[in-house]
Amino acid sequence: MEFESNSSNWEGVYYYPHLFGGIMVTAALLGLSTSYFGGMMGFPTLPYMLPYLTNLQKKKGGKKRIRVYMDGCFDLMHYGHANALRQAKALGDELVVGLVSDEEIITNKGPPVLSMEERLALVSGLKWVDEVIANAPYEITEEFMKRLFNEHKIDYIIHGDDPCLLPDGSDAYALAKKAGRYKQIKRTEGVSSTDIVGRILASIDDKKECEKAFEKSKHASNFLPTSRRIVQFSNAKGPGPNARVVYIDGAFDLFHAGHVEILKSARQLGDFLLVGIYTDEIVSEQRGAHFPLMHLHERSLSVLSCRYVDEVIIGAPCHITKDMITTFNISLVVHGTVSEGNSSLNGKLDLDPYSVPKSMGIFKMLDSPKNITTTSVAQRIKANHEIYEKRNAKKEASEKKFYEERKYISGD
């Protein structure tokens, strides 16, 4: 049988020179070739020992973990961002995310909607993220690239197949590509921060109804949900037989830092966090015709991407029933102190959606760590709508060009 050489085999020689040297010296003193060992006591010839030496090295130090880096603004965090980071994580073992500073975003793209603190909470809350570098530069400069390779031990820099250009029109990742340390992932179609801003701007009250209808149709979601995408985001694990299942429900529209923090608090109260996500109809009834800004499947993926969530009910009922509690073996139902208004409850206390768990003694109000809401985020954009309309006009043109010129890329 012919031996097939493998460069990794020689790592054993590198890490165990004394063992290798001892074998060679013994062979030399005896005046024997290495093949002689094959006829004595079943001892393998030297080439066949190399995999053994490699195994010794692997057992001692283990396989080198591949560290990948992906950066971004991650403003108005959505499931497209989450899917990008999921794909990036699949290209390595550890994912380090660079969060671009507010100042760099203003210079290159215009004012961000969310603060650094809010964006940091969102990115850190994703199940695929291992580390976050705050205030990362928008451009991968030679100095920063060296820092990534030397200090953070990054093996590859990742970005989507959509172009990322600097104000002068140059490629922000040109140096990483030149260094041969760049890998590309597939952009998630059907959503972007620009699109979400457009949906919010379309709902501004002082616009005429016909204008609103046109804007809303122009920014309607193009996301095509598939079972495969849901599986990719899912933990694919149910609760253990004696697990304490905690249930929390809501719209979770325009997923924000307040959502992450309340989900974290809820998860700490049990072993398994089940999240009920209201239908689009329920959200519209509670908050008005302009809501939800994100439809049911978009909201479901955003919640599933959160590291504190174990499972979701897609299209959960507003009222929690005894049968539902039994079916999912729910031990505790929680609700945050900060939430959007519920018009269906005004003056109708008998329609309290939590009356059943309250009567069973398994309901708890949680202090919401943050005061941020979907409406308050939308108001930031509406208050500065002229700035965002101007920014969106430019971004929409570049996105339209991207979709017109794009080609099929396999893998996601």
Side-chain angles (χ1 to χ4, degrees), residues 373-390:
T373 64
T374 300
T375 300
S376 68
V377 172
Q379 286 298 335
R380 298 179 193 180
I381 294 171
K382 292 179 179 180
N384 299 282
H385 65 91
E386 292 182 357
I387 295 175
Y388 288 107
E389 283 175 345
K390 184 178 180 180

PDB file of all heavy atoms in Angstrom, residues 373-390:
ATOM      1  N   THR A 373     -39.121  51.293  22.852  1.00  0.00           N
ATOM      2  CA  THR A 373     -40.218  50.536  22.245  1.00  0.00           C
ATOM      3  C   THR A 373     -40.120  50.670  20.722  1.00  0.00           C
ATOM      4  O   THR A 373     -39.375  51.516  20.208  1.00  0.00           O
ATOM      5  CB  THR A 373     -41.595  51.054  22.698  1.00  0.00           C
ATOM      6  OG1 THR A 373     -41.751  52.401  22.230  1.00  0.00           O
ATOM      7  CG2 THR A 373     -41.736  51.003  24.210  1.00  0.00           C
ATOM      8  N   THR A 374     -40.898  49.874  20.023  1.00  0.00           N
ATOM      9  CA  THR A 374     -40.934  49.964  18.564  1.00  0.00           C
ATOM     10  C   THR A 374     -41.376  51.357  18.126  1.00  0.00           C
ATOM     11  O   THR A 374     -40.803  51.958  17.216  1.00  0.00           O
ATOM     12  CB  THR A 374     -41.903  48.912  17.990  1.00  0.00           C
ATOM     13  OG1 THR A 374     -41.444  47.613  18.382  1.00  0.00           O
ATOM     14  CG2 THR A 374     -41.986  48.991  16.478  1.00  0.00           C
ATOM     15  N   THR A 375     -42.380  51.879  18.799  1.00  0.00           N
ATOM     16  CA  THR A 375     -42.905  53.207  18.464  1.00  0.00           C
ATOM     17  C   THR A 375     -41.862  54.294  18.700  1.00  0.00           C
ATOM     18  O   THR A 375     -41.715  55.219  17.890  1.00  0.00           O
ATOM     19  CB  THR A 375     -44.167  53.512  19.283  1.00  0.00           C
ATOM     20  OG1 THR A 375     -45.162  52.527  18.998  1.00  0.00           O
ATOM     21  CG2 THR A 375     -44.716  54.893  18.949  1.00  0.00           C
ATOM     22  N   SER A 376     -41.118  54.199  19.799  1.00  0.00           N
ATOM     23  CA  SER A 376     -40.110  55.226  20.101  1.00  0.00           C
ATOM     24  C   SER A 376     -38.980  55.214  19.071  1.00  0.00           C
ATOM     25  O   SER A 376     -38.435  56.260  18.724  1.00  0.00           O
ATOM     26  CB  SER A 376     -39.549  55.034  21.518  1.00  0.00           C
ATOM     27  OG  SER A 376     -38.769  53.860  21.623  1.00  0.00           O
ATOM     28  N   VAL A 377     -38.624  54.026  18.576  1.00  0.00           N
ATOM     29  CA  VAL A 377     -37.600  53.943  17.530  1.00  0.00           C
ATOM     30  C   VAL A 377     -38.135  54.566  16.240  1.00  0.00           C
ATOM     31  O   VAL A 377     -37.440  55.335  15.563  1.00  0.00           O
ATOM     32  CB  VAL A 377     -37.181  52.473  17.275  1.00  0.00           C
ATOM     33  CG1 VAL A 377     -36.255  52.379  16.057  1.00  0.00           C
ATOM     34  CG2 VAL A 377     -36.488  51.895  18.498  1.00  0.00           C
ATOM     35  N   ALA A 378     -39.379  54.235  15.895  1.00  0.00           N
ATOM     36  CA  ALA A 378     -39.986  54.799  14.690  1.00  0.00           C
ATOM     37  C   ALA A 378     -40.080  56.319  14.770  1.00  0.00           C
ATOM     38  O   ALA A 378     -39.878  57.020  13.766  1.00  0.00           O
ATOM     39  CB  ALA A 378     -41.379  54.190  14.483  1.00  0.00           C
ATOM     40  N   GLN A 379     -40.353  56.838  15.974  1.00  0.00           N
ATOM     41  CA  GLN A 379     -40.464  58.279  16.161  1.00  0.00           C
ATOM     42  C   GLN A 379     -39.141  58.993  15.905  1.00  0.00           C
ATOM     43  O   GLN A 379     -39.128  60.140  15.447  1.00  0.00           O
ATOM     44  CB  GLN A 379     -40.958  58.596  17.579  1.00  0.00           C
ATOM     45  CG  GLN A 379     -42.434  58.298  17.807  1.00  0.00           C
ATOM     46  CD  GLN A 379     -43.343  59.131  16.928  1.00  0.00           C
ATOM     47  OE1 GLN A 379     -42.979  60.221  16.480  1.00  0.00           O
ATOM     48  NE2 GLN A 379     -44.539  58.621  16.678  1.00  0.00           N
ATOM     49  N   ARG A 380     -38.026  58.340  16.191  1.00  0.00           N
ATOM     50  CA  ARG A 380     -36.705  58.939  15.924  1.00  0.00           C
ATOM     51  C   ARG A 380     -36.556  59.215  14.430  1.00  0.00           C
ATOM     52  O   ARG A 380     -36.005  60.249  14.028  1.00  0.00           O
ATOM     53  CB  ARG A 380     -35.587  58.003  16.371  1.00  0.00           C
ATOM     54  CG  ARG A 380     -35.557  57.692  17.852  1.00  0.00           C
ATOM     55  CD  ARG A 380     -34.408  56.740  18.160  1.00  0.00           C
ATOM     56  NE  ARG A 380     -34.516  56.165  19.505  1.00  0.00           N
ATOM     57  CZ  ARG A 380     -33.652  55.302  20.031  1.00  0.00           C
ATOM     58  NH1 ARG A 380     -32.602  54.919  19.308  1.00  0.00           N
ATOM     59  NH2 ARG A 380     -33.836  54.817  21.243  1.00  0.00           N
ATOM     60  N   ILE A 381     -37.025  58.281  13.635  1.00  0.00           N
ATOM     61  CA  ILE A 381     -36.924  58.433  12.183  1.00  0.00           C
ATOM     62  C   ILE A 381     -37.916  59.476  11.681  1.00  0.00           C
ATOM     63  O   ILE A 381     -37.578  60.328  10.850  1.00  0.00           O
ATOM     64  CB  ILE A 381     -37.166  57.075  11.492  1.00  0.00           C
ATOM     65  CG1 ILE A 381     -36.038  56.112  11.859  1.00  0.00           C
ATOM     66  CG2 ILE A 381     -37.263  57.234   9.976  1.00  0.00           C
ATOM     67  CD1 ILE A 381     -36.258  54.694  11.418  1.00  0.00           C
ATOM     68  N   LYS A 382     -39.125  59.441  12.211  1.00  0.00           N
ATOM     69  CA  LYS A 382     -40.148  60.407  11.788  1.00  0.00           C
ATOM     70  C   LYS A 382     -39.757  61.829  12.161  1.00  0.00           C
ATOM     71  O   LYS A 382     -40.029  62.774  11.418  1.00  0.00           O
ATOM     72  CB  LYS A 382     -41.496  60.046  12.415  1.00  0.00           C
ATOM     73  CG  LYS A 382     -42.091  58.747  11.886  1.00  0.00           C
ATOM     74  CD  LYS A 382     -43.413  58.422  12.545  1.00  0.00           C
ATOM     75  CE  LYS A 382     -44.000  57.136  11.997  1.00  0.00           C
ATOM     76  NZ  LYS A 382     -45.299  56.787  12.616  1.00  0.00           N
ATOM     77  N   ALA A 383     -39.110  61.984  13.322  1.00  0.00           N
ATOM     78  CA  ALA A 383     -38.707  63.316  13.786  1.00  0.00           C
ATOM     79  C   ALA A 383     -37.633  63.929  12.883  1.00  0.00           C
ATOM     80  O   ALA A 383     -37.495  65.146  12.796  1.00  0.00           O
ATOM     81  CB  ALA A 383     -38.204  63.239  15.223  1.00  0.00           C
ATOM     82  N   ASN A 384     -36.857  63.075  12.226  1.00  0.00           N
ATOM     83  CA  ASN A 384     -35.796  63.542  11.322  1.00  0.00           C
ATOM     84  C   ASN A 384     -36.027  62.995   9.921  1.00  0.00           C
ATOM     85  O   ASN A 384     -35.091  62.604   9.223  1.00  0.00           O
ATOM     86  CB  ASN A 384     -34.429  63.080  11.844  1.00  0.00           C
ATOM     87  CG  ASN A 384     -34.107  63.623  13.221  1.00  0.00           C
ATOM     88  OD1 ASN A 384     -33.718  64.772  13.376  1.00  0.00           O
ATOM     89  ND2 ASN A 384     -34.264  62.780  14.238  1.00  0.00           N
ATOM     90  N   HIS A 385     -37.306  62.958   9.523  1.00  0.00           N
ATOM     91  CA  HIS A 385     -37.668  62.275   8.277  1.00  0.00           C
ATOM     92  C   HIS A 385     -37.005  62.865   7.046  1.00  0.00           C
ATOM     93  O   HIS A 385     -36.692  62.141   6.091  1.00  0.00           O
ATOM     94  CB  HIS A 385     -39.191  62.245   8.103  1.00  0.00           C
ATOM     95  CG  HIS A 385     -39.828  63.584   7.924  1.00  0.00           C
ATOM     96  ND1 HIS A 385     -40.027  64.143   6.691  1.00  0.00           N
ATOM     97  CD2 HIS A 385     -40.310  64.475   8.835  1.00  0.00           C
ATOM     98  CE1 HIS A 385     -40.616  65.314   6.832  1.00  0.00           C
ATOM     99  NE2 HIS A 385     -40.801  65.549   8.119  1.00  0.00           N
ATOM    100  N   GLU A 386     -36.740  64.173   7.035  1.00  0.00           N
ATOM    101  CA  GLU A 386     -36.116  64.783   5.861  1.00  0.00           C
ATOM    102  C   GLU A 386     -34.703  64.242   5.647  1.00  0.00           C
ATOM    103  O   GLU A 386     -34.295  63.970   4.517  1.00  0.00           O
ATOM    104  CB  GLU A 386     -36.084  66.306   6.010  1.00  0.00           C
ATOM    105  CG  GLU A 386     -37.466  66.945   5.959  1.00  0.00           C
ATOM    106  CD  GLU A 386     -37.402  68.449   6.070  1.00  0.00           C
ATOM    107  OE1 GLU A 386     -36.282  68.989   6.241  1.00  0.00           O
ATOM    108  OE2 GLU A 386     -38.459  69.094   5.979  1.00  0.00           O
ATOM    109  N   ILE A 387     -33.967  64.060   6.765  1.00  0.00           N
ATOM    110  CA  ILE A 387     -32.600  63.519   6.679  1.00  0.00           C
ATOM    111  C   ILE A 387     -32.635  62.087   6.169  1.00  0.00           C
ATOM    112  O   ILE A 387     -31.867  61.704   5.273  1.00  0.00           O
ATOM    113  CB  ILE A 387     -31.909  63.577   8.059  1.00  0.00           C
ATOM    114  CG1 ILE A 387     -31.726  65.023   8.507  1.00  0.00           C
ATOM    115  CG2 ILE A 387     -30.575  62.841   8.025  1.00  0.00           C
ATOM    116  CD1 ILE A 387     -31.169  65.159   9.916  1.00  0.00           C
ATOM    117  N   TYR A 388     -33.548  61.288   6.745  1.00  0.00           N
ATOM    118  CA  TYR A 388     -33.607  59.881   6.364  1.00  0.00           C
ATOM    119  C   TYR A 388     -34.184  59.671   4.971  1.00  0.00           C
ATOM    120  O   TYR A 388     -33.811  58.723   4.266  1.00  0.00           O
ATOM    121  CB  TYR A 388     -34.394  59.091   7.412  1.00  0.00           C
ATOM    122  CG  TYR A 388     -33.621  58.923   8.706  1.00  0.00           C
ATOM    123  CD1 TYR A 388     -33.979  59.633   9.847  1.00  0.00           C
ATOM    124  CD2 TYR A 388     -32.514  58.089   8.766  1.00  0.00           C
ATOM    125  CE1 TYR A 388     -33.260  59.504  11.028  1.00  0.00           C
ATOM    126  CE2 TYR A 388     -31.791  57.948   9.938  1.00  0.00           C
ATOM    127  CZ  TYR A 388     -32.168  58.658  11.065  1.00  0.00           C
ATOM    128  OH  TYR A 388     -31.435  58.530  12.233  1.00  0.00           O
ATOM    129  N   GLU A 389     -35.082  60.551   4.537  1.00  0.00           N
ATOM    130  CA  GLU A 389     -35.616  60.451   3.180  1.00  0.00           C
ATOM    131  C   GLU A 389     -34.508  60.714   2.166  1.00  0.00           C
ATOM    132  O   GLU A 389     -34.420  60.035   1.130  1.00  0.00           O
ATOM    133  CB  GLU A 389     -36.777  61.439   2.985  1.00  0.00           C
ATOM    134  CG  GLU A 389     -38.077  60.969   3.612  1.00  0.00           C
ATOM    135  CD  GLU A 389     -39.181  62.010   3.521  1.00  0.00           C
ATOM    136  OE1 GLU A 389     -38.852  63.187   3.233  1.00  0.00           O
ATOM    137  OE2 GLU A 389     -40.352  61.667   3.747  1.00  0.00           O
ATOM    138  N   LYS A 390     -33.664  61.667   2.461  1.00  0.00           N
ATOM    139  CA  LYS A 390     -32.550  61.988   1.570  1.00  0.00           C
ATOM    140  C   LYS A 390     -31.548  60.839   1.539  1.00  0.00           C
ATOM    141  O   LYS A 390     -31.064  60.435   0.473  1.00  0.00           O
ATOM    142  CB  LYS A 390     -31.860  63.274   2.052  1.00  0.00           C
ATOM    143  CG  LYS A 390     -30.738  63.740   1.132  1.00  0.00           C
ATOM    144  CD  LYS A 390     -30.134  65.056   1.639  1.00  0.00           C
ATOM    145  CE  LYS A 390     -29.014  65.521   0.726  1.00  0.00           C
ATOM    146  NZ  LYS A 390     -28.414  66.809   1.218  1.00  0.00           N
TER     147      LYS A 390
END
